[in-house]
């Protein structure tokens, strides 16, 4: 059993790599525009993706907690493979809507389940005396691996474009099967309450709501922070390629820039824990908030490659925020329904994007990239303050309460 669980970590890291190795993503906007879609229609396909995930996110997380994270990962990876295969014949707006709907179901099944399985595996291995990187480092490494894979995909996309866009689509169709094959190698990690899970999930559903809304305040404000920073990251994610086009960057460079951005996220995630120890959580949270705002303004005011370079500030914040916030959330949530909580948090981001994504596309088509970037900076500056100030206060109070707790008596 121990050996199988040790292999879990390697398999999940490899799955994370191939889930991030999406060669079609760095050139997805030009791909859809090449089939006649406007930016409004591009963002509508992403809104459908978000809607599909919103409808499936919580049930899929619940399924993962109830019937097993491995089964959820396998089903989700299989659907993703089918979705990527459908790109081979996608040619219209409707075709890409179908593609996004399939991926929405697939990613909703994986979302939260992989993080929960990795976290539970690490916790159990350390419980039985097997030394590993620890749950915190395991999560940051998974985020780092996925970001590095995205960078490798960017380089691969640019190289494939030396032949044609069809090569990008073909490679994506075949590499999309890798996560499913790797999912066959993972096993379930023991969790507290396994024996009674089937009888207790009704109560667990109530516990989840109570935990998020009325339980530890740090959990609520951390989940809120993930939603705010995650939503901004999604917006900028779909602006980047249009921005590069407006700045006159050749299409052949899109993949290389994407690779550099992804590597930045990977490195930021990898060293987030060390940076927190060096700066302290207050200064780190200020940095996480300041960087994307500076990046948005720099992109809006910058010209050519200078504007592109300003985008790195957003990516550094993305790597830091994902690691810090998800670790803070998962470390405070009971393992028995960790996947469901992760799914609920993702649901918050997706639900808002369902409505606002197409609006973002209309704004881009109507007012241009510069005005859109400035608008996002003006909108998110107060939102970040609204979430980070209470979060810092709650963390400080939690640390003070922990310091007052009496130490357990030494065993005789």
């Amino acid at each position: 059993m121990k050996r199988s669980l040790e292999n879990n970590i390697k398999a999940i890291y490899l799955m994370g790599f191939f889930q991030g190795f999406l060669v079609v993503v760095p050139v997805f906007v030009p791909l859809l525009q090449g089939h006649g879609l406007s930016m409004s229609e591009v963002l509508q396909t992403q809104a459908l993706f978000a809607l599909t995930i919103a409808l499936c996110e919580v049930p899929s997380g619940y399924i993962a907690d109830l019937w097993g994270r491995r089964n959820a990962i396998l089903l989700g990876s299989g659907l993703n493979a089918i979705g990527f295969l459908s790109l081979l014949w996608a040619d219209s707006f409707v075709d890409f809507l179908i593609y996004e709907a399939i991926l929405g179901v697939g990613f909703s099944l994986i979302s939260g389940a992989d993080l929960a399985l990795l976290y539970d595996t690490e916790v159990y291995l350390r419980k039985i005396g097997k030394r590993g990187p620890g749950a915190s480092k395991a999560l940051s490494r998974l985020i780092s691996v996925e970001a590095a894979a995205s960078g490798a995909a960017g380089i691969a996309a640019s190289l494939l474009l030396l032949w044609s866009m069809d090569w990008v689509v073909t490679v994506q169709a075949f590499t999309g099967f890798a996560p499913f094959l790797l999912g066959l190698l993972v096993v379930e990690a023991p969790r507290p309450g396994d024996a009674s899970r089937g009888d207790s999930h009704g109560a667990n559903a109530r516990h989840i709501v109570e935990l998020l809304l009325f339980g530890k305040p740090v959990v609520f404000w951390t989940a809120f922070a993930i939603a705010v920073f995650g939503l901004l990251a999604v917006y900028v994610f779909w602006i980047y390629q249009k921005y590069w086009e407006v700045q006159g960057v050749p299409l052949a460079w899109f993949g290389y820039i994407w690779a550099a951005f992804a590597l930045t996220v990977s490195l930021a995630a990898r060293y987030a824990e060390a940076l927190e120890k060096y700066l302290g959580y207050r200064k780190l949270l200020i940095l996480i908030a300041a960087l994307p705002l500076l990046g948005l303004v720099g992109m809006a005011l910058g010209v050519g490659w200078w504007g592109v370079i300003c985008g790195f500030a957003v990516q550094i914040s993305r790597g830091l925020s994902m690691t810090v916030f998800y670790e803070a959330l998962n470390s405070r949530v009971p393992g028995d329904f960790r996947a469901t909580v992760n799914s609920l948090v993702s649901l918050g981001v997706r639900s808002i994007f369902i409505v606002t994504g197409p609006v973002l596309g209309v704004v881009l088509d109507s007012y241009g990239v510069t005005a859109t970037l400035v608008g996002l900076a003006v909108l998110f500056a107060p939102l970040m303050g609204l979430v980070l100030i209470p979060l810092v206060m709650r963390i400080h109070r939690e640390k003070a309460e922990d310091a007052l707790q009496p130490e357990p008596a030494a065993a005789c």
Side-chain angles (χ1 to χ4, degrees):
M1 179 65 172
K2 184 189 294 186
R3 171 60 63 180
S4 297
L5 288 174
E6 290 174 4
N7 291 335
N8 255 17
I9 299 175
K10 297 177 183 177
I12 293 173
Y13 283 163
L14 283 172
M15 286 178 60
F17 179 86
F18 282 102
Q19 286 167 2
F21 188 77
L22 305 177
V23 295
V24 73
V25 171
V27 292
F28 194 70
V29 172
L31 171 65
L32 269 61
Q33 289 180 329
H35 287 279
L37 276 69
S38 65
M39 279 303 299
S40 177
E41 289 174 322
V42 170
L43 270 297
Q44 285 177 45
T45 67
Q46 298 313 304
L48 177 63
F49 176 77
L51 175 61
T52 306
I53 287 186
L55 294 175
C56 302
E57 187 80 59
V58 175
S60 65
Y62 190 75
I63 289 171
D65 284 334
L66 181 61
W67 291 337
R69 282 82 188 266
R70 179 181 185 271
N71 292 333
I73 289 171
L74 282 175
L75 180 56
S77 299
L79 286 172
N80 285 347
I82 294 173
F84 290 128
L85 193 64
S86 73
L87 279 177
L88 292 174
W89 56 81
D91 186 50
S92 66
F93 179 51
V94 173
D95 291 338
F96 287 109
L97 287 176
I98 295 172
Y99 159 77
E100 295 291 353
I102 296 173
L103 289 190
V105 178
F107 276 106
S108 68
L109 286 163
I110 298 172
S111 173
D114 54 354
L115 286 176
L117 181 58
L118 177 63
Y119 201 94
D120 289 337
T121 298
E122 270 293 343
V123 169
Y124 183 77
L125 286 175
R126 293 180 72 83
K127 180 180 179 181
I128 63 177
K130 178 65 179 177
R131 295 183 63 84
S136 174
K137 289 185 178 179
L139 287 175
S140 66
R141 287 181 182 178
L142 178 60
I143 294 171
S144 180
V145 165
E146 291 176 344
S150 180
I155 296 174
S158 284
L159 294 175
L160 291 168
L161 282 173
L162 295 175
W163 285 272
S164 71
M165 185 71 80
D166 290 339
W167 274 93
V168 176
V169 173
T170 301
V171 169
Q172 182 62 75
F174 286 99
T175 57
F177 281 89
F180 175 77
L181 298 176
L182 289 165
L184 297 172
L185 303 178
V186 302
V187 298
E188 285 292 324
R191 289 174 280 160
D194 272 349
S196 60
R197 183 170 294 111
D199 298 328
S200 64
H201 261 66
N204 280 352
R206 292 192 300 274
H207 293 161
I208 293 169
V209 175
E210 292 172 0
L211 175 64
L212 286 173
L213 299 180
F214 311 110
K216 297 180 180 179
V218 174
V219 172
F220 171 80
W221 288 106
T222 301
F224 192 6
I226 291 174
V228 170
F229 284 85
L231 187 63
L232 176 59
V234 173
Y235 288 155
V236 181
F237 181 91
W238 290 110
I239 292 175
Y240 275 141
Q241 293 173 37
K242 185 65 177 180
Y243 177 79
W244 301 337
E245 177 187 315
V246 171
Q247 295 299 326
V249 177
L251 179 59
W253 279 90
F254 278 29
Y256 297 126
I257 301 172
W258 197 270
F261 275 20
L263 179 61
T264 301
V265 174
S266 178
L267 290 174
R270 181 69 178 82
Y271 294 103
E273 184 180 12
L275 191 60
E276 182 177 7
K277 291 180 180 178
Y278 178 74
L279 295 177
Y281 71 90
R282 289 190 184 92
K283 291 182 180 178
L284 181 61
L285 291 178
I286 293 173
L287 181 65
I288 288 173
L291 283 173
L293 296 178
L294 292 174
L296 289 172
V297 174
M299 289 172 64
L301 301 179
V303 178
W305 285 101
W306 287 111
V308 174
I309 291 172
C310 289
F312 282 96
V314 182
Q315 299 305 101
I316 294 172
S317 174
R318 179 60 175 160
L320 294 174
S321 64
M322 283 195 301
T323 303
V324 171
F325 292 145
Y326 272 105
E327 161 56 21
L329 180 68
N330 281 275
S331 64
R332 292 172 172 83
V333 173
D336 202 36
F337 40 77
R338 189 169 285 129
T340 306
V341 171
N342 283 322
S343 294
L344 275 171
V345 174
S346 297
L347 173 63
V349 177
R350 303 293 182 184
S351 298
I352 299 173
F353 187 78
I354 292 168
V355 177
T356 59
V359 174
L360 179 66
V362 172
V363 172
L364 283 168
D365 286 334
S366 302
Y367 299 100
V369 174
T370 300
T372 303
L373 290 170
V374 173
L376 288 177
V378 172
L379 175 63
F380 276 88
L383 283 176
M384 290 177 179
L386 177 65
V387 66
L388 289 185
I389 292 174
L391 178 59
V392 169
M393 294 174 60
R394 297 299 183 178
I395 292 175
H396 178 74
R397 184 176 300 176
E398 182 184 79
K399 288 181 178 292
E401 292 174 352
D402 290 343
L404 294 176
Q405 292 294 327
E407 294 184 4
C412 296

